[in-house]
Structures are given as C-alpha cells and as structure tokens.
C-alpha cells in the first residue's frame, strides 16, 4: 500500500469519531492480509533453501508493518493501539516475521515510562497529542518528550504547522528540503530522516536527495547562509543577503528569505534539542525498529548501554544520596544575589567588563568530547563545506564582536520585520520565545514555591553572551555564581556542537533535578539559540534594506 495512495485510511485513524477510526482500521487490516496472500507461501525460516520472495513485495509489507507497529505504541487512541497489536499478532500467527521497537522509548536519556505517563495523567496533553496526530498522522518522539511542558508543546506544534503546512512564501517541498539542509549541518539524522519522508510525501523530487549539487541552483545558493548561521552567525553581512536577492533568475524575494532564515534557525536549534534530550529514531523509521528476533537473555548489551531498569535506578539512587544539598546551595546563591541587588548596583563600566570577561571565558570552555566529528556521507551530502564549524575563536586570535540589544533586538526590530514580510508569523514566534523564557512551575527538584526567574535569565543570557549579544541592564557576574563549570560545558556543547552530547553529559548536570526540569533547560537553550541566530540574520536583512 503506497503511503500517499493510502493517506485517507491513515488520516481517518486520527478522527475523534470512533466509528471512523474503526472503519479505517478495517481497511488497513484487509490490506495487510491481502499483501500477505499476494506473497504466496511463507518460507520456512529453518529451511536451508527457502523459496525466493519478491523483494519489492516484502519491502512494501515491511514498511506497512512498521507503520502498524508505530500505531500500536504511539497512537493516542487506545482502541487503535489494541487493534494494531492484535493485527501484528495475527500476522505473526500466519508465519510472517513482525517488527519490534529498537531502544527504550522516545529518549536514550529519559525512562520511557516517565515520558508516556505524562499523557495518562494530564488530559490537556492527551488532547494536544490527539490534535497533533490528526494533523501529522504520527506522534514523533520530539513531541512526546516536549509533552512534559504542554503549554510550550501546544505553541511549538502550532508554529510548526504554520511554518511547514500553511500558505507562505515557499513551496511545501522546499520548506522540508531547507529543514534537511539545516539539520544536516549538525549531523542530526533524526530530523534529516523525518523531513526526507515529509519531502517525498509532498511531492519533492527524489533526485534532490542524492546531494545538494542535485538540487536547483537557487537552493544550492543557501549553502553559505546555512553554514554561517549554524556556526558563526555574527559573520553574516548585508553582502551575503544581497547575493541571494540579486542572483538574476535564481534570486530569492525578501519574503522568501525571511521564511528561509526562520526555517534554518529553527532546525539548527531543534537539532540541539534533539541531541540534548537523546531523541531516538521514531518507531516506523530507519533505526526505530528491527525484524530480528529478540535476544534470549532478559538483558543485552543494548539494554545496558541505553539504561535498562534496575541498573539505572541503582546508580541513580547512589548519585542522589551523594549530591544531597546541590539544589539548596543553588537556591541560597539565588537568595544572596537578590539581596545584593537590593543593596547596590554595579556601574555601567563594571557591567561591560563583566560581560566581556564572561564572553571570553565562554569561548574557552571546552568539552572532554572536543575531538573533530566527521559527518557521514549520508548526512553531509545535504550541505556544503563539511569542515566548516564552530571554532574557539580566542584560541586563534579572532574576536566575536558585541551586539548590544539596545542597538538591535527581537522585540524592537526583528519582530516587526518578520511580521511585515511573513504576516502573523512574528506573533507566533514571539509567543514561542516568551513561553520558553517565562515557563515556570515555581519548583526546583523537590522544593515548591521557588522563584526561578533569576536562574532562567542567567541561562538565556549566557547563551546569548556566547553569541556576543549583550544586555546592558544585566550583571554578567551572576552567571558564574549560578552556572557551574559542568553545566556550562553542557550548555556550550548543546548550542555549538550538539552532535557531541552524550548521556554522561546529560546525567552529570543538575543531578538532583527531575527529567522534566532538564527538558525545560533544553527548551530554553533551543529558543535562546534560535533567537540569537535569527537576530544576526534579521540585522543583516535590515542593513540591506536600509
């Protein structure tokens, strides 16, 4: 069953009407069994010379069964999950090997039961998941992990829908191709695969997927913008913008270019979130399932590597007992800083000096994983110049210039430019930034009634500081008080080279905090990074226009 031809059947599974879902499921059930009959006798896996099978038929059936497996685990409707589980069992009973999930849930870092428990306990999340499933026909692992924070997830999905599916300057297939280009810069195979599938679904030319050189010249011309924004956005100038807008028959319009930079900055930052939360491949995609039988042993090497049950809990409990007091120390620092605010304020000269010191130090914070990563051909074919990446500029005598927010800010400049050239989208973006920045449950680990605004501001401003962005009214001395070196290493890696994030790095920061709080941190990092990149792109466009 061709996925596009069968779109109506899959789509109907997202209906809130149970009879519509039941009818669609019956059609899918019939199609699966019909495919199996078409294949003829099922070969005996024990036979030394099993009969030859049509590879295309087998491949189509496998893709179909992988989709059914995904529905059995991820559909927000229990009736469909049960029917898909029964269908897979029936397929297995007639001798056809069925797929099983690989890995332990949506994330390598967070226990599956903790992620999936959220929608069972929160009716709002269940409703958001149902809406997302109705639109996309799937619940991807990113959405499941973001489900810890329903207010943010709802806005994120609305923004994604507007950006990728609603009327806009760019064609649908170009939007997904630009998403592929952006995600590939950080070797994010999860996002690349997601958008390769979507690109084909909306009628994109498969030849473009052979490499950037196979795409139209107009898209190839975005290669330089893509790499500068991903790794050194402060180097972007109005000349870069002019080359894209005045390329004769390959020229972009201003409205198209705004759509482009929003897509690029979104998927660079979403790659950070994907790696930072250890997102696993979705069940129905490559790497998300296998047709190999499970190992006989209850534990295998992959279970241990991915943190299976008892081992993880044993070491987790040990860490908590060793680190008791970590949260209280941080809360006490916040209290002391607030008291200092009330007593005296540093001079503007001292504030500027502290910013420059923090910016310099942020360039020198290195990770233990700081060796070069060589991207695979599968990913690097989607972008140019694989060797171009983030470098520690102070080591090489280079300098990141300071962008003062009073001279160019999202609120006073970027927002209006986006809204003018891409109507209504500036408002959606602004809401997304605001929700991430202001999101709070007034908790820290087990403590209730805590004002976390100082900590959230320190994290946001530290990321902007790494990009050379300065807030004149902020005392950057607070950053060293609130963010320890280990946390800074994690932030730097997440924002600059997210492909190097490991489970050990995720586990090592804020070890007494809940997974939901760490996901909140990653949302802050993602949005702060996106806004920083976007500011430099929009400033360059503004300079070109003036």
């Amino acid at each position: 069953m061709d996925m596009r031809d069968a779109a109506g059947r899959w789509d109907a599974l997202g209906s809130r009407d149970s009879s519509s879902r039941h009818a669609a499921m019956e059609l899918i059930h019939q199609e699966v069994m019909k495919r199996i009959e078409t294949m003829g006798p099922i070969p005996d896996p024990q036979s030394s010379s099993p009969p030859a099978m049509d590879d295309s038929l087998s491949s189509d059936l496998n893709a179909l069964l992988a989709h059914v497996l995904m529905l059995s685990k991820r559909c927000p409707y229990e009736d469909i999950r049960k029917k898909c589980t029964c269908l897979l069992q029936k397929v297995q009973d007639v001798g056809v090997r069925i797929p099983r999930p690989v890995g332990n849930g949506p994330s390598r870092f967070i226990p599956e039961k903790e992620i999936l428990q959220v929608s069972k306990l929160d009716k709002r999340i269940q409703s958001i998941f149902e809406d997302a499933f109705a639109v996309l026909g799937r619940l991807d692992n990113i959405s499941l992990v973001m489900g810890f924070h329903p207010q943010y997830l709802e806005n994120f999905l609305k923004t994604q829908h507007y950006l990728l599916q609603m009327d806009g300057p760019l064609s649908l297939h170009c939007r997904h191709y630009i998403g592929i280009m952006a995600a590939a810069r950080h070797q994010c195979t999860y996002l690349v695969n997601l958008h390769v599938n979507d690109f084909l679904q909306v009628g994109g030319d498969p030849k473009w997927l052979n490499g950037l050189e196979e795409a139209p010249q107009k898209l190839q011309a975005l290669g330089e913008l893509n790499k500068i924004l991903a790794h050194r956005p402060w180097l972007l100038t109005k000349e870069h913008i002019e080359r894209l807008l005045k390329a004769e028959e390959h020229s972009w319009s201003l409205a198209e270019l705004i759509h482009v930079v929003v897509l690029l900055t979104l998927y660079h930052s979403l790659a950070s979130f994907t790696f930072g939360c250890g997102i696993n491949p979705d069940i129905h995609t490559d790497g998300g399932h296998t047709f190999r039988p499970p190992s006989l042993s209850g534990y295998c090497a992959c279970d241990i590597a991915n943190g299976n049950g008892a081992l993880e809990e044993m070491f987790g409990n040990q860490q908590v007992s060793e680190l008791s007091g970590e949260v209280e120390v941080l809360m006490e620092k916040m209290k002391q800083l607030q008291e200092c605010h009330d007593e005296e304020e540093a001079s503007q000269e001292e504030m500027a000096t502290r910013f420059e010191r923090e910016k310099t130090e942020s360039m020198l914070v290195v990770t233990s994983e700081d060796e070069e990563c060589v991207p695979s051909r599968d990913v690097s074919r989607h972008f140019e110049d694989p060797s171009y990446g983030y470098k520690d500029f102070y080591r090489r005598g280079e300098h990141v210039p300071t962008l003062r927010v009073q001279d160019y800010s999202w609120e006073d400049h970027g927002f209006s430019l986006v809204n003018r050239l891409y109507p209504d989208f500036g408002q959606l973006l602004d809401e997304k930034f605001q929700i991430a920045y202001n999101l709070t449950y007034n908790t820290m680990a087990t403590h209730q009634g805590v004002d976390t605004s100082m900590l959230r501001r320190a994290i946001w401003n530290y990321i902007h500081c790494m990009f050379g962005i300065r807030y004149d009214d902020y005392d950057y001395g607070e950053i060293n008080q609130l963010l320890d070196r280990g946390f800074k290493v994690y932030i730097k890696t997440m924002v600059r080279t997210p492909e190097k994030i490991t489970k050990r790095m995720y586990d090592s920061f804020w070890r007494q905090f809940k997974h939901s709080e760490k996901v909140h941190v990653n949302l802050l990092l993602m949005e702060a990074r996106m806004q920083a990149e976007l500011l430099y792109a929009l400033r360059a466009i503004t300079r070109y226009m003036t």
Side-chain angles (χ1 to χ4, degrees):
M1 175 165 56
D2 183 281
M3 293 301 173
R4 279 172 290 184
D5 293 342
R9 299 176 211 186
W10 297 118
D11 289 350
L13 295 178
S15 170
R16 282 194 159 91
D17 175 50
S18 59
S19 59
S20 298
R21 295 198 302 269
H22 177 76
M25 196 65 228
E26 280 300 308
L27 289 172
I28 291 167
H29 184 286
Q30 292 168 18
E31 183 68 31
V32 170
M33 301 315 293
K34 181 179 164 187
R35 284 296 177 91
I36 292 172
E37 288 174 17
T38 305
M39 289 171 61
I42 305 301
D44 180 358
Q46 305 302 320
S47 170
S48 58
S49 55
M53 296 174 65
D54 186 319
D55 284 345
S56 64
L57 286 176
S58 177
S59 176
D60 286 349
L61 178 62
N62 285 350
L64 191 53
L65 292 176
H67 207 84
V68 173
L69 174 68
M70 178 273 288
L71 292 169
S72 75
K73 301 288 185 181
R74 297 287 180 258
C75 181
Y77 297 106
E78 187 178 9
D79 58 337
I80 297 301
R81 292 199 300 272
K82 286 181 176 178
K83 288 178 187 295
C84 287
T85 301
C86 291
L87 176 56
L88 289 170
Q89 185 60 55
K90 185 173 180 179
V91 169
Q92 187 176 43
D93 289 344
V94 300
V96 174
R97 184 168 288 174
I98 62 171
R100 61 185 177 85
V102 171
N104 290 331
S107 165
R108 298 191 310 280
F109 301 168
I110 307 169
E112 181 176 19
K113 62 184 179 184
E114 196 167 329
I115 295 171
L116 300 184
Q117 189 71 11
V118 174
S119 62
K120 294 176 184 175
L121 300 176
D122 190 326
K123 289 183 179 178
R124 181 183 180 189
I125 278 290
Q126 176 66 18
S127 177
I128 294 170
F129 283 171
E130 289 172 5
D131 289 342
F133 190 82
V135 172
L136 300 171
R138 64 173 185 252
L139 267 183
D140 59 55
N141 288 340
I142 286 178
S143 297
L144 287 166
V145 171
M146 285 183 180
F148 282 117
H149 304 288
Q151 184 187 3
Y152 177 86
L153 174 61
E154 193 167 31
N155 179 272
F156 174 82
L157 291 172
K158 190 195 305 181
T159 305
Q160 291 280 96
H161 180 64
Y162 194 99
L163 193 60
L164 295 172
Q165 294 171 279
M166 298 289 281
D167 288 343
L170 298 177
S171 62
L172 297 183
H173 64 283
C174 277
R175 301 179 199 193
H176 290 295
Y177 196 79
I178 291 165
I180 293 167
M181 290 174 64
R185 280 255 44 124
H186 284 306
Q187 305 160 45
C188 187
T189 54
Y190 176 88
L191 289 174
V192 168
N193 289 338
L194 198 69
H195 286 282
V196 163
N197 290 336
D198 289 343
F199 172 78
L200 295 173
Q201 287 280 340
V202 297
D205 187 343
K207 289 181 183 175
W208 297 10
L209 300 176
N210 292 332
L212 188 58
E213 67 277 2
E214 297 284 342
Q217 185 64 42
K218 188 173 175 178
L219 282 165
Q220 290 184 42
L222 295 177
E224 189 173 22
L225 177 66
N226 184 24
K227 73 179 185 182
I228 292 174
L229 277 177
H231 306 293
R232 312 177 193 178
W234 47 85
L235 297 182
L236 199 65
T237 66
K238 66 179 183 180
E239 285 73 28
H240 291 113
I241 304 302
E242 186 172 17
R243 284 197 288 273
L244 291 169
L245 295 173
K246 294 186 175 180
E248 298 177 349
E249 72 269 24
H250 304 304
S251 294
W252 295 87
S253 71
L254 266 173
E256 286 176 329
L257 196 57
I258 289 290
H259 202 164
V260 166
V261 298
V262 170
L263 283 165
L264 291 175
T265 56
L266 171 67
Y267 284 102
H268 294 155
S269 57
L270 194 55
S272 286
F273 182 85
T274 301
F275 284 114
C277 291
I279 301 294
N280 279 323
D282 291 320
I283 289 173
H284 61 298
T285 63
D286 289 346
H289 63 273
T290 180
F291 284 83
R292 292 196 305 270
S295 60
L296 296 176
S297 164
Y299 281 90
C300 65
C302 61
D303 289 328
I304 297 168
N306 288 320
N308 198 333
L311 285 175
E312 189 175 62
E313 288 176 16
M314 180 176 71
F315 288 118
N317 292 337
Q318 180 182 335
Q319 284 182 336
V320 169
S321 63
E322 288 173 358
L323 289 163
S324 57
E326 178 189 38
V327 179
E328 288 77 10
V329 168
L330 185 53
M331 289 172 63
E332 182 59 31
K333 286 180 179 177
M334 289 162 61
K335 182 182 176 184
Q336 290 172 0
L337 285 170
Q338 187 58 55
E339 289 171 354
C340 289
H341 279 186
D342 297 339
E343 290 172 12
E344 58 178 314
E345 192 172 297
S347 66
Q348 279 299 312
E349 292 77 10
E350 177 60 24
M351 300 264 266
T353 300
R354 290 175 184 176
F355 168 79
E356 289 299 330
R357 185 186 306 129
E358 195 59 55
K359 184 173 71 169
T360 303
E361 287 178 2
S362 78
M363 297 297 164
L364 300 174
V365 174
V366 294
T367 78
S368 57
E369 328 289 328
D370 232 8
E371 71 279 355
E372 289 295 316
C373 283
V374 181
S376 68
R377 165 65 186 159
D378 278 354
V379 172
S380 65
R381 63 185 169 178
H382 298 301
F383 62 88
E384 64 174 35
D385 195 4
S387 64
Y388 189 98
Y390 176 81
K391 302 292 181 187
D392 281 324
F393 293 93
Y394 280 87
R395 290 178 179 174
R396 301 168 47 189
E398 296 182 34
H399 179 68
V400 177
T402 295
L403 168 60
R404 296 174 69 196
V405 168
Q406 69 180 51
D407 297 330
Y408 200 91
S409 70
W410 165 253
E411 292 80 5
D412 296 332
H413 307 90
F415 170 79
S416 57
L417 178 60
V418 172
N419 243 16
R420 188 162 83 247
L421 294 172
Y422 192 2
D424 299 327
F425 194 71
Q427 186 64 42
L428 272 177
L429 266 185
D430 188 59
E431 287 172 11
K432 191 158 74 80
F433 292 143
Q434 290 293 332
I435 288 170
Y437 185 87
N438 294 315
L439 188 64
T440 183
Y441 306 95
N442 297 309
T443 61
M444 283 179 65
T446 57
H447 296 268
Q448 307 289 323
V450 183
D451 181 357
T452 61
S453 56
M454 183 181 289
L455 186 56
R456 283 181 278 118
R457 190 179 187 193
I459 293 169
W460 186 279
N461 287 1
Y462 179 61
I463 294 156
H464 278 197
C465 177
M466 292 192 301
F467 284 91
I469 297 169
R470 181 191 165 202
Y471 295 83
D472 285 354
D473 63 345
Y474 183 68
D475 182 356
Y476 287 84
E478 290 184 8
I479 289 173
N480 269 337
Q481 294 290 315
L482 299 175
L483 313 182
D484 62 43
R485 180 178 167 77
F487 191 19
K488 284 183 173 181
V489 167
Y490 177 80
I491 292 174
K492 173 183 172 177
T493 309
M494 253 285 277
V495 172
R496 292 174 177 161
T497 52
E499 59 274 18
K500 295 181 181 180
I501 286 285
T502 63
K503 186 174 188 300
R504 181 180 58 78
M505 295 171 73
Y506 173 89
D507 288 339
S508 67
F509 86 90
W510 282 14
R511 282 172 282 189
Q512 281 190 295
F513 285 73
K514 301 169 190 169
H515 287 294
S516 60
E517 291 171 311
K518 291 193 173 192
V519 171
H520 185 183
V521 166
N522 286 342
L523 292 177
L524 270 175
L525 302 186
M526 174 174 75
E527 294 298 342
R529 176 188 176 174
M530 181 180 178
Q531 191 181 93
E533 281 189 34
L534 201 53
L535 275 180
Y536 282 110
L538 297 175
R539 184 183 68 165
I541 291 172
T542 299
R543 286 178 172 175
Y544 166 79
M545 292 170 67
T546 54

